[in-house]
Amino acid sequence: MSDNITVRGFVATEIRSSTTPGGVATASFRLGATDRRYDRATSTWVDGNTNWFTVQGYRQLAGNLGCSVKKGQRVIVVGRLKMRSWEKDGRIYHAAEIDAESVGHDLMWGSANFTRTAGAGT
Amino acid sequence: MSDNITVRGFVATEIRSSTTPGGVATASFRLGATDRRYDRATSTWVDGNTNWFTVQGYRQLAGNLGCSVKKGQRVIVVGRLKMRSWEKDGRIYHAAEIDAESVGHDLMWGSANFTRTAGAGT
Amino acid sequence: MSDNITVRGFVATEIRSSTTPGGVATASFRLGATDRRYDRATSTWVDGNTNWFTVQGYRQLAGNLGCSVKKGQRVIVVGRLKMRSWEKDGRIYHAAEIDAESVGHDLMWGSANFTRTAGAGT
Amino acid sequence: MSDNITVRGFVATEIRSSTTPGGVATASFRLGATDRRYDRATSTWVDGNTNWFTVQGYRQLAGNLGCSVKKGQRVIVVGRLKMRSWEKDGRIYHAAEIDAESVGHDLMWGSANFTRTAGAGT
């Protein structure tokens, strides 16, 4: 079973909003998550590897991503990890996607003004 | 080892801000997280048990919680779970605390305007 | 929403096996999970707070817990956290339970011989 | 920051044990984790996407993986996700690795006999 993951990182692209042929609103962006580890030799925190993900949101979350999240911001993403690969013109492409269930600005890095969507969650 | 947990829920109290004797800013609030499960009999999602946590933030996160998060809002909390118990006046009290590393408004439920703290993360 | 958690710790009691009135096999044990953190002053890892949980398993998992897990062993537990409280004889009792979906011996601490249950997962 | 993830799945290869030039024992295997979702139309659980990971263990965990885990078994893996890509002969290769901190046989699928490593964790 593939479980939920939580990733904290920075938004590396603008939000791309779209609508599926079936009429479902979608939004997506690239997320970079850089490992931080404590280096005992120098007694400082240093950057490690950066993982890249394509984050996908749907429906109400898609709408709120489009009007709330900007390139460069720090966010928390909760969702399901999906590793995909496909072939095109004889080359194989790979992507690590997260089907997001929740996304939020990380308040460790700034402040935020929140406005509830009318009818959300009912 | 006690690992990080991610909890999504609603803020049940106003934020209580304070400063430790050592001068560290703190902020805390109560978080309610209600399980949702799909009931096959009625083909609907129903509410299950609600878990209650006391969420604690420190330093920069504490400051941003104080000016960003209000009672009733939906948030994502990432941090370490700490179960505590103590005695007072002959009674034993228990609390489930989360030492928060990151908190964010859940954009599944609304939109947010984010302003980065000057100097954050440097 | 209350999400899955993963806790690594030690089994603090023998396994208690039982059957519900409806005929479902159950098994439970107490789990202690002690935080480890790196102390920069002494350059060593030190023990922190210990969280206590009651782990509950059902059906096939319950049977395998009963014949596999012993007091003192190190395990990984994946499941849903449920905080419960109740009153008895004028006192309030609290418990942090984990409804386990998966449990395994932690191979960081020892080796294991695994035998698949006939018909498991079919 | 890149957080810990927990993945439950099946071991798709035999364990490959090795030693680094610096003398550290390592073990690795391929893990397949298949999503299961409840299909409301047919009222059954169906298989979804399968994520593939290369799981890496070190030191004591590596030794115990080598003598405990076999192809086809069900395991729980806790560790850090690392997405890597590299070029060879003009082609780009990708891999999703998990630096494992803990691995255990999933007792939802079978029973296990555990033997603690002498001196483990001291």
Side-chain angles (χ1 to χ4, degrees):
Chain A
M1 214 224 267
S2 169
D3 299 330
N4 268 22
I5 66 165
T6 299
V7 180
R8 289 174 284 171
F10 58 93
V11 178
T13 61
E14 298 300 343
I15 309 301
R16 234 177 24 147
S17 297
S18 182
T19 309
T20 68
V24 175
T26 69
S28 73
F29 61 90
R30 291 285 284 170
L31 179 76
T34 303
D35 224 5
R36 296 274 290 169
R37 59 181 185 75
Y38 187 73
D39 185 40
R40 300 187 200 176
T42 61
S43 292
T44 52
W45 289 88
V46 294
D47 279 356
N49 181 61
T50 297
N51 287 339
W52 293 97
F53 302 94
T54 298
V55 177
Q56 299 268 7
Y58 299 92
R59 280 168 283 266
Q60 199 158 271
L61 175 58
N64 290 325
L65 285 172
C67 64
S68 305
V69 174
K70 311 268 178 274
K71 187 177 170 179
Q73 293 179 342
R74 294 275 170 166
V75 292
I76 312 165
V77 175
V78 183
R80 279 174 179 277
L81 182 65
K82 282 199 182 164
M83 242 72 89
R84 299 198 310 118
S85 59
W86 64 96
E87 208 176 323
K88 193 186 168 188
D89 302 334
R91 296 190 58 171
I92 296 170
Y93 294 84
H94 296 261
E97 293 184 358
I98 300 177
D99 263 17
E101 296 182 358
S102 295
V103 176
H105 291 107
D106 191 340
L107 297 176
M108 202 174 74
W109 298 80
S111 59
N113 241 321
F114 184 70
T115 308
R116 187 163 177 146
T117 309
T122 56
Chain B
M1 210 221 272
S2 169
D3 298 331
N4 267 23
I5 65 166
T6 298
V7 180
R8 290 174 284 172
F10 57 93
V11 178
T13 60
E14 298 300 342
I15 309 299
R16 237 177 21 148
S17 298
S18 182
T19 309
T20 67
V24 174
T26 69
S28 73
F29 61 89
R30 292 285 284 171
L31 179 75
T34 303
D35 224 6
R36 296 274 291 170
R37 58 181 187 74
Y38 187 73
D39 184 42
R40 301 188 200 174
T42 62
S43 292
T44 52
W45 288 89
V46 294
D47 280 356
N49 182 59
T50 297
N51 287 339
W52 293 97
F53 303 93
T54 299
V55 177
Q56 299 268 4
Y58 299 93
R59 282 168 282 268
Q60 198 157 272
L61 175 58
N64 289 326
L65 285 172
C67 65
S68 306
V69 175
K70 312 267 178 276
K71 186 175 168 178
Q73 293 179 342
R74 293 277 170 166
V75 292
I76 312 165
V77 175
V78 183
R80 278 174 180 277
L81 182 65
K82 283 197 182 167
M83 242 71 89
R84 298 199 311 119
S85 58
W86 65 95
E87 208 177 323
K88 193 186 168 188
D89 302 334
R91 296 189 59 170
I92 296 172
Y93 294 84
H94 297 261
E97 293 184 359
I98 300 176
D99 264 18
E101 296 182 359
S102 295
V103 177
H105 292 107
D106 191 340
L107 297 176
M108 205 174 73
W109 298 80
S111 60
N113 242 321
F114 184 70
T115 308
R116 187 163 176 149
T117 310
T122 58
Chain C
M1 213 224 269
S2 168
D3 299 330
N4 268 22
I5 66 167
T6 299
V7 180
R8 291 174 284 170
F10 57 93
V11 178
T13 60
E14 298 300 343
I15 309 301
R16 234 175 24 146
S17 298
S18 183
T19 309
T20 67
V24 174
T26 69
S28 72
F29 61 90
R30 291 284 283 170
L31 179 76
T34 303
D35 224 6
R36 295 274 290 169
R37 58 181 186 76
Y38 187 73
D39 184 41
R40 302 186 198 175
T42 61
S43 292
T44 52
W45 289 89
V46 295
D47 280 356
N49 181 61
T50 297
N51 287 340
W52 293 97
F53 302 94
T54 298
V55 177
Q56 299 268 6
Y58 298 92
R59 280 167 284 265
Q60 200 158 268
L61 175 58
N64 289 325
L65 286 172
C67 65
S68 305
V69 175
K70 310 268 178 272
K71 187 176 169 178
Q73 293 178 342
R74 293 276 171 167
V75 291
I76 312 165
V77 175
V78 183
R80 278 173 180 276
L81 182 65
K82 283 198 183 166
M83 242 71 90
R84 297 198 311 119
S85 59
W86 64 94
E87 209 177 324
K88 192 185 169 189
D89 302 334
R91 297 190 56 172
I92 295 171
Y93 294 84
H94 296 260
E97 293 185 358
I98 299 176
D99 262 19
E101 296 182 359
S102 295
V103 177
H105 292 107
D106 191 341
L107 298 175
M108 204 174 74
W109 298 80
S111 59
N113 241 321
F114 184 71
T115 308
R116 188 165 176 145
T117 309
T122 59
Chain D
M1 211 222 269
S2 168
D3 299 330
N4 267 22
I5 65 166
T6 299
V7 180
R8 291 173 284 172
F10 58 92
V11 179
T13 61
E14 297 300 341
I15 309 300
R16 235 175 23 147
S17 298
S18 183
T19 310
T20 68
V24 174
T26 68
S28 72
F29 60 90
R30 291 285 285 171
L31 179 76
T34 303
D35 223 7
R36 296 274 289 169
R37 58 181 186 75
Y38 187 73
D39 184 41
R40 300 186 199 175
T42 61
S43 292
T44 52
W45 288 90
V46 295
D47 280 357
N49 182 59
T50 298
N51 287 339
W52 293 96
F53 303 94
T54 298
V55 177
Q56 298 269 6
Y58 299 92
R59 281 169 283 268
Q60 199 157 270
L61 174 59
N64 289 326
L65 285 172
C67 65
S68 304
V69 175
K70 311 269 179 274
K71 187 177 168 178
Q73 293 179 342
R74 293 276 169 166
V75 292
I76 312 165
V77 175
V78 183
R80 278 175 180 276
L81 182 65
K82 283 197 183 166
M83 241 71 88
R84 298 198 311 117
S85 59
W86 64 96
E87 209 178 323
K88 195 185 166 188
D89 302 335
R91 295 192 58 171
I92 296 171
Y93 294 84
H94 296 260
E97 293 184 358
I98 300 175
D99 263 20
E101 296 182 359
S102 294
V103 177
H105 292 107
D106 191 340
L107 298 176
M108 204 175 74
W109 297 81
S111 60
N113 242 321
F114 184 71
T115 309
R116 187 162 175 148
T117 309
T122 59

Coordinates of all heavy atoms in Angstrom, one line a residue, chain C residues 4 6 8 60-61 64-65 67-69 72-74 76 78 101-117 120-122, chain D residues 4 6 8 60-61 64-65 67-69 72-74 76 78 101-117 120-122:
Chain C
N4 N -2.8 8.6 9.2 CA -1.9 7.5 9.7 C -0.7 8.0 10.4 O -0.1 9.0 10.0 CB -1.5 6.6 8.5 CG -2.5 5.5 8.3 OD1 -3.7 5.6 8.7 ND2 -2.1 4.5 7.6
T6 N 3.2 6.5 12.0 CA 4.2 5.5 12.1 C 4.9 5.7 13.4 O 5.5 6.8 13.6 CB 5.2 5.5 10.9 OG1 4.4 5.3 9.7 CG2 6.2 4.4 11.1
R8 N 7.9 3.9 16.0 CA 8.9 2.8 16.3 C 9.2 2.8 17.7 O 9.5 3.9 18.3 CB 10.1 3.1 15.4 CG 9.9 2.9 13.9 CD 11.1 3.2 13.1 NE 11.2 4.7 13.0 CZ 12.2 5.3 12.5 NH1 13.3 4.6 12.0 NH2 12.3 6.6 12.4
Q60 N -6.6 -11.1 11.0 CA -5.3 -11.8 10.7 C -4.1 -11.2 11.4 O -3.2 -12.0 11.9 CB -5.1 -11.8 9.2 CG -4.2 -12.8 8.7 CD -4.5 -13.0 7.2 OE1 -5.3 -13.9 6.8 NE2 -3.8 -12.2 6.4
L61 N -4.0 -9.9 11.4 CA -2.9 -9.2 12.1 C -2.9 -9.6 13.6 O -1.9 -9.9 14.2 CB -3.1 -7.7 12.0 CG -2.1 -6.9 12.7 CD1 -0.6 -7.2 12.4 CD2 -2.3 -5.4 12.5
N64 N -1.4 -13.1 14.0 CA 0.1 -13.1 13.8 C 0.8 -12.4 14.9 O 2.0 -12.7 15.3 CB 0.4 -12.5 12.4 CG 0.0 -13.4 11.3 OD1 0.1 -14.6 11.4 ND2 -0.4 -12.8 10.2
L65 N 0.2 -11.3 15.5 CA 0.8 -10.6 16.6 C 1.0 -11.6 17.8 O 2.0 -11.7 18.4 CB -0.1 -9.5 17.1 CG 0.0 -8.2 16.2 CD1 -1.1 -7.2 16.7 CD2 1.4 -7.6 16.2
C67 N 1.3 -14.8 17.9 CA 2.4 -15.9 17.8 C 3.7 -15.3 17.4 O 4.7 -16.1 17.3 CB 1.9 -17.0 16.9 SG 1.7 -16.5 15.2
S68 N 3.9 -14.0 17.2 CA 5.1 -13.5 16.7 C 5.8 -12.5 17.7 O 7.0 -12.4 17.8 CB 4.9 -12.8 15.4 OG 4.3 -13.6 14.4
V69 N 5.0 -11.7 18.4 CA 5.6 -10.5 19.1 C 5.7 -10.8 20.6 O 4.7 -11.3 21.2 CB 4.8 -9.3 18.8 CG1 5.3 -8.1 19.6 CG2 4.8 -8.9 17.3
G72 N 9.5 -6.7 25.1 CA 10.9 -6.3 25.0 C 11.4 -6.2 23.5 O 12.4 -5.6 23.3
Q73 N 10.6 -6.7 22.6 CA 11.1 -6.6 21.2 C 10.8 -5.2 20.6 O 9.9 -4.5 21.0 CB 10.3 -7.6 20.3 CG 10.7 -9.1 20.7 CD 10.0 -10.1 19.8 OE1 9.0 -9.8 19.2 NE2 10.5 -11.3 19.8
R74 N 11.6 -4.8 19.6 CA 11.5 -3.6 18.9 C 10.6 -3.7 17.7 O 10.8 -4.7 16.9 CB 12.9 -3.1 18.4 CG 13.8 -2.7 19.5 CD 13.5 -1.3 19.9 NE 14.2 -1.0 21.2 CZ 14.4 0.3 21.6 NH1 13.8 1.2 20.9 NH2 15.0 0.5 22.7
I76 N 7.9 -1.7 14.5 CA 7.3 -0.6 13.7 C 5.8 -0.8 13.7 O 5.3 -1.9 13.4 CB 7.8 -0.6 12.3 CG1 9.4 -0.9 12.2 CG2 7.4 0.6 11.5 CD1 9.8 -1.2 10.8
V78 N 2.2 0.9 12.2 CA 1.6 1.8 11.3 C 0.1 1.8 11.5 O -0.5 0.6 11.5 CB 1.8 1.5 9.8 CG1 1.2 2.6 8.9 CG2 3.3 1.4 9.5
E101 N -2.7 -1.0 11.4 CA -2.9 -1.6 10.0 C -1.8 -2.6 9.7 O -2.0 -3.6 9.1 CB -3.0 -0.6 9.0 CG -4.2 0.3 9.2 CD -4.3 1.4 8.1 OE1 -3.5 1.4 7.2 OE2 -5.3 2.2 8.2
S102 N -0.6 -2.3 10.2 CA 0.6 -3.1 10.0 C 1.5 -3.0 11.2 O 1.7 -1.9 11.7 CB 1.4 -2.7 8.7 OG 0.6 -2.8 7.5
V103 N 2.1 -4.1 11.5 CA 3.2 -4.2 12.6 C 4.3 -5.0 12.1 O 4.0 -6.1 11.4 CB 2.6 -4.7 13.9 CG1 3.7 -4.8 15.0 CG2 1.4 -3.9 14.4
G104 N 5.5 -4.7 12.4 CA 6.7 -5.5 12.0 C 7.8 -5.4 13.0 O 8.0 -4.3 13.6
H105 N 8.6 -6.4 13.2 CA 9.8 -6.4 14.0 C 10.8 -5.4 13.3 O 11.0 -5.6 12.1 CB 10.4 -7.7 14.1 CG 9.6 -8.7 15.0 ND1 8.9 -9.7 14.4 CD2 9.4 -8.7 16.3 CE1 8.3 -10.4 15.4 NE2 8.6 -9.8 16.5
D106 N 11.4 -4.6 14.0 CA 12.4 -3.6 13.4 C 13.7 -4.3 13.2 O 14.5 -4.6 14.2 CB 12.5 -2.4 14.4 CG 13.3 -1.3 13.7 OD1 14.0 -1.5 12.7 OD2 13.2 -0.1 14.2
L107 N 14.1 -4.5 11.9 CA 15.3 -5.2 11.6 C 16.6 -4.4 11.8 O 17.7 -4.9 11.6 CB 15.2 -5.7 10.2 CG 14.1 -6.7 9.9 CD1 14.0 -7.1 8.4 CD2 14.3 -8.0 10.7
M108 N 16.4 -3.2 12.3 CA 17.6 -2.5 12.8 C 18.1 -3.1 14.1 O 19.3 -2.9 14.5 CB 17.3 -1.0 13.0 CG 18.4 -0.1 12.9 SD 17.9 1.6 13.1 CE 17.6 1.7 14.8
W109 N 17.3 -3.9 14.8 CA 17.6 -4.4 16.1 C 17.8 -5.9 16.1 O 18.1 -6.4 17.2 CB 16.5 -4.0 17.1 CG 16.4 -2.5 17.3 CD1 15.7 -1.7 16.5 CD2 16.9 -1.7 18.3 NE1 15.8 -0.4 17.0 CE2 16.5 -0.4 18.1 CE3 17.7 -2.1 19.5 CZ2 16.9 0.6 18.9 CZ3 18.1 -1.0 20.3 CH2 17.7 0.3 20.0
G110 N 17.5 -6.6 15.0 CA 17.7 -8.0 15.0 C 17.2 -8.6 13.7 O 16.9 -7.9 12.8
S111 N 17.3 -10.0 13.6 CA 16.9 -10.7 12.4 C 15.6 -11.4 12.6 O 15.1 -11.6 13.8 CB 18.0 -11.7 12.0 OG 18.2 -12.6 13.1
A112 N 14.9 -11.8 11.5 CA 13.6 -12.4 11.7 C 13.4 -13.4 10.6 O 13.8 -13.3 9.4 CB 12.5 -11.4 11.6
N113 N 12.7 -14.5 10.9 CA 12.2 -15.5 10.0 C 10.8 -15.3 9.7 O 10.0 -15.4 10.7 CB 12.4 -16.9 10.7 CG 13.4 -17.7 10.0 OD1 13.4 -17.7 8.7 ND2 14.2 -18.5 10.7
F114 N 10.4 -15.1 8.5 CA 9.0 -14.8 8.2 C 8.3 -15.9 7.5 O 8.9 -16.5 6.6 CB 9.0 -13.5 7.3 CG 7.6 -13.0 6.9 CD1 6.9 -12.4 7.9 CD2 7.1 -13.1 5.6 CE1 5.6 -11.8 7.6 CE2 5.9 -12.6 5.3 CZ 5.1 -11.9 6.3
T115 N 7.1 -16.3 7.9 CA 6.3 -17.3 7.2 C 5.0 -16.7 6.8 O 4.2 -16.3 7.7 CB 6.1 -18.5 8.2 OG1 7.3 -18.9 8.7 CG2 5.4 -19.6 7.4
R116 N 4.7 -16.7 5.5 CA 3.5 -16.1 5.1 C 2.3 -17.0 5.5 O 2.3 -18.2 5.4 CB 3.5 -16.0 3.5 CG 2.3 -15.3 3.0 CD 2.6 -14.8 1.6 NE 1.4 -14.2 1.0 CZ 1.5 -13.2 0.2 NH1 2.7 -12.8 -0.2 NH2 0.4 -12.6 -0.3
T117 N 1.2 -16.3 5.9 CA 0.0 -16.9 6.3 C -0.7 -17.5 5.0 O -0.8 -16.7 4.0 CB -1.0 -15.9 7.0 OG1 -0.3 -15.3 8.0 CG2 -2.2 -16.6 7.5
A120 N -3.2 -15.3 2.8 CA -3.1 -13.9 3.3 C -3.3 -12.9 2.1 O -2.7 -13.1 1.0 CB -1.8 -13.6 3.9
G121 N -4.2 -11.9 2.3 CA -4.3 -10.8 1.3 C -5.1 -11.2 0.1 O -5.1 -10.4 -0.9
T122 N -5.7 -12.4 0.1 CA -6.4 -12.7 -1.1 C -7.9 -12.5 -0.9 O -8.3 -12.1 0.2 CB -6.3 -14.2 -1.4 OG1 -6.7 -15.0 -0.3 CG2 -4.8 -14.5 -1.8
Chain D
N4 N 10.5 12.0 6.6 CA 10.5 10.5 6.6 C 9.2 10.1 5.9 O 8.2 10.7 6.0 CB 10.5 10.0 8.0 CG 11.9 9.7 8.5 OD1 12.8 10.2 7.9 ND2 12.0 8.8 9.5
T6 N 6.8 6.4 5.2 CA 6.5 5.0 5.5 C 5.9 4.4 4.2 O 4.9 4.9 3.8 CB 5.6 4.9 6.7 OG1 6.2 5.5 7.8 CG2 5.3 3.4 7.0
R8 N 4.5 0.6 2.6 CA 4.3 -0.8 2.8 C 4.2 -1.4 1.4 O 3.4 -0.9 0.6 CB 3.0 -1.0 3.6 CG 3.2 -0.6 5.0 CD 1.9 -0.6 5.8 NE 1.1 0.5 5.5 CZ -0.2 0.6 5.9 NH1 -0.7 -0.4 6.6 NH2 -0.9 1.6 5.6
Q60 N 24.2 -2.3 10.7 CA 23.5 -3.4 11.3 C 22.2 -3.8 10.6 O 21.9 -4.9 10.4 CB 23.1 -3.0 12.7 CG 22.8 -4.2 13.6 CD 23.0 -3.8 15.1 OE1 24.1 -3.9 15.6 NE2 22.0 -3.2 15.7
L61 N 21.4 -2.8 10.1 CA 20.2 -3.0 9.3 C 20.5 -3.8 8.1 O 19.8 -4.7 7.7 CB 19.5 -1.7 9.0 CG 18.3 -1.8 8.1 CD1 17.2 -2.6 8.7 CD2 17.7 -0.4 7.8
N64 N 21.0 -7.5 8.9 CA 19.8 -8.2 9.2 C 18.9 -8.3 8.0 O 18.1 -9.3 7.9 CB 19.1 -7.4 10.4 CG 19.8 -7.6 11.7 OD1 20.4 -8.7 12.0 ND2 19.7 -6.6 12.5
L65 N 18.9 -7.3 7.1 CA 18.2 -7.5 5.8 C 18.7 -8.7 5.1 O 17.9 -9.5 4.6 CB 18.3 -6.2 5.0 CG 17.6 -5.0 5.4 CD1 17.9 -3.8 4.6 CD2 16.0 -5.2 5.3
C67 N 20.0 -11.5 6.0 CA 19.7 -12.8 6.5 C 18.2 -13.0 6.8 O 17.8 -14.1 7.2 CB 20.5 -13.2 7.7 SG 20.3 -12.2 9.1
S68 N 17.4 -11.9 6.6 CA 16.0 -12.0 7.0 C 15.0 -11.9 5.9 O 13.9 -12.5 5.9 CB 15.6 -10.9 8.1 OG 16.5 -11.0 9.2
V69 N 15.3 -11.0 4.9 CA 14.3 -10.6 3.9 C 14.5 -11.4 2.6 O 15.6 -11.4 2.1 CB 14.3 -9.1 3.7 CG1 13.3 -8.7 2.6 CG2 13.9 -8.4 5.0
G72 N 9.5 -11.5 -2.6 CA 8.1 -11.8 -2.5 C 7.5 -11.5 -1.1 O 6.3 -11.5 -1.0
Q73 N 8.3 -11.2 -0.1 CA 7.7 -11.0 1.2 C 7.2 -9.5 1.3 O 7.6 -8.7 0.6 CB 8.8 -11.2 2.3 CG 9.3 -12.6 2.4 CD 10.3 -12.8 3.5 OE1 11.0 -11.9 3.9 NE2 10.5 -14.1 3.9
R74 N 6.2 -9.4 2.2 CA 5.6 -8.1 2.5 C 6.4 -7.4 3.6 O 6.6 -8.0 4.7 CB 4.2 -8.3 2.9 CG 3.3 -8.8 1.8 CD 2.8 -7.7 1.0 NE 2.2 -8.2 -0.3 CZ 1.4 -7.4 -1.0 NH1 1.3 -6.1 -0.7 NH2 0.9 -7.8 -2.1
I76 N 7.3 -3.4 5.8 CA 7.1 -2.0 6.1 C 8.5 -1.3 6.0 O 9.5 -1.8 6.6 CB 6.6 -1.8 7.5 CG1 5.4 -2.8 7.8 CG2 6.2 -0.4 7.8 CD1 5.1 -2.9 9.3
V78 N 10.6 2.3 6.7 CA 10.6 3.7 7.1 C 11.9 4.4 6.8 O 13.0 3.8 7.1 CB 10.3 3.8 8.7 CG1 10.3 5.2 9.2 CG2 9.1 3.0 9.1
E101 N 15.7 3.6 7.6 CA 16.1 3.7 9.0 C 15.6 2.4 9.7 O 16.2 1.9 10.6 CB 15.5 4.9 9.6 CG 16.1 6.2 9.1 CD 15.5 7.4 9.8 OE1 14.7 7.3 10.7 OE2 16.0 8.5 9.4
S102 N 14.4 1.9 9.3 CA 13.8 0.7 9.8 C 13.1 -0.1 8.7 O 12.5 0.5 7.9 CB 12.8 1.0 10.9 OG 13.5 1.6 12.0
V103 N 13.2 -1.4 8.8 CA 12.4 -2.3 7.9 C 11.9 -3.4 8.7 O 12.6 -3.9 9.6 CB 13.3 -2.8 6.8 CG1 12.6 -3.8 5.9 CG2 14.0 -1.7 5.9
G104 N 10.7 -3.8 8.5 CA 10.1 -5.0 9.2 C 9.2 -5.8 8.3 O 8.5 -5.2 7.4
H105 N 9.1 -7.1 8.6 CA 8.1 -7.9 7.9 C 6.7 -7.5 8.3 O 6.4 -7.3 9.5 CB 8.2 -9.4 8.2 CG 9.5 -10.0 7.6 ND1 10.6 -10.3 8.4 CD2 9.8 -10.3 6.3 CE1 11.5 -10.8 7.6 NE2 11.1 -10.8 6.4
D106 N 5.7 -7.3 7.4 CA 4.4 -6.9 7.7 C 3.6 -8.1 8.3 O 3.2 -9.0 7.5 CB 3.7 -6.3 6.5 CG 2.4 -5.6 6.8 OD1 1.9 -5.9 7.9 OD2 2.0 -4.7 6.0
L107 N 3.3 -8.0 9.6 CA 2.6 -9.2 10.2 C 1.1 -9.2 9.9 O 0.4 -10.1 10.3 CB 2.8 -9.1 11.8 CG 4.2 -9.2 12.2 CD1 4.3 -9.0 13.8 CD2 4.8 -10.5 11.9
M108 N 0.6 -8.3 9.0 CA -0.7 -8.5 8.5 C -0.7 -9.7 7.5 O -1.7 -10.2 7.1 CB -1.1 -7.2 7.7 CG -2.6 -7.1 7.7 SD -3.1 -5.5 6.9 CE -2.7 -5.7 5.2
W109 N 0.5 -10.0 7.0 CA 0.6 -11.0 5.9 C 1.2 -12.4 6.4 O 1.3 -13.3 5.6 CB 1.4 -10.5 4.8 CG 0.8 -9.3 4.1 CD1 0.8 -8.0 4.6 CD2 0.0 -9.3 2.9 NE1 0.1 -7.2 3.7 CE2 -0.4 -8.0 2.7 CE3 -0.4 -10.3 2.0 CZ2 -1.2 -7.6 1.6 CZ3 -1.2 -9.9 0.9 CH2 -1.5 -8.6 0.7
G110 N 1.7 -12.4 7.6 CA 2.4 -13.6 8.0 C 2.9 -13.5 9.5 O 2.7 -12.5 10.1
S111 N 3.6 -14.6 9.9 CA 4.1 -14.6 11.3 C 5.7 -14.5 11.2 O 6.2 -14.8 10.1 CB 3.7 -15.8 12.1 OG 4.1 -16.9 11.4
A112 N 6.3 -14.1 12.3 CA 7.8 -14.0 12.2 C 8.4 -14.3 13.6 O 7.8 -14.1 14.6 CB 8.2 -12.6 11.9
N113 N 9.6 -14.9 13.5 CA 10.4 -15.3 14.7 C 11.5 -14.3 14.7 O 12.3 -14.2 13.8 CB 11.0 -16.7 14.4 CG 10.5 -17.6 15.5 OD1 10.4 -17.2 16.6 ND2 10.3 -18.9 15.0
F114 N 11.6 -13.5 15.8 CA 12.6 -12.4 15.9 C 13.7 -12.8 16.8 O 13.5 -13.3 17.9 CB 11.9 -11.1 16.3 CG 12.7 -9.9 16.4 CD1 13.1 -9.3 15.2 CD2 13.1 -9.3 17.6 CE1 13.9 -8.1 15.2 CE2 13.8 -8.2 17.6 CZ 14.2 -7.6 16.5
T115 N 15.0 -12.5 16.4 CA 16.1 -12.7 17.3 C 16.9 -11.5 17.4 O 17.4 -11.0 16.4 CB 17.0 -13.9 16.8 OG1 16.2 -15.0 16.5 CG2 18.1 -14.2 17.7
R116 N 17.1 -10.9 18.6 CA 17.7 -9.7 18.7 C 19.2 -9.8 18.5 O 19.9 -10.8 18.9 CB 17.5 -9.1 20.1 CG 18.1 -7.7 20.3 CD 17.5 -7.1 21.6 NE 18.1 -5.8 21.8 CZ 17.4 -4.8 22.3 NH1 16.2 -4.9 22.6 NH2 18.1 -3.6 22.5
T117 N 19.8 -8.9 17.7 CA 21.2 -8.9 17.5 C 22.0 -8.6 18.8 O 21.6 -7.6 19.5 CB 21.6 -7.8 16.5 OG1 20.7 -7.9 15.3 CG2 23.0 -7.8 16.1
A120 N 22.7 -4.8 20.0 CA 22.0 -3.9 19.2 C 21.5 -2.7 20.0 O 21.0 -2.9 21.1 CB 20.8 -4.6 18.5
G121 N 21.8 -1.5 19.5 CA 21.2 -0.3 20.1 C 21.9 0.2 21.3 O 21.5 1.1 22.0
T122 N 23.1 -0.4 21.6 CA 23.8 0.0 22.8 C 24.9 0.9 22.4 O 25.2 1.1 21.2 CB 24.4 -1.2 23.6 OG1 25.3 -1.9 22.7 CG2 23.3 -2.1 24.0

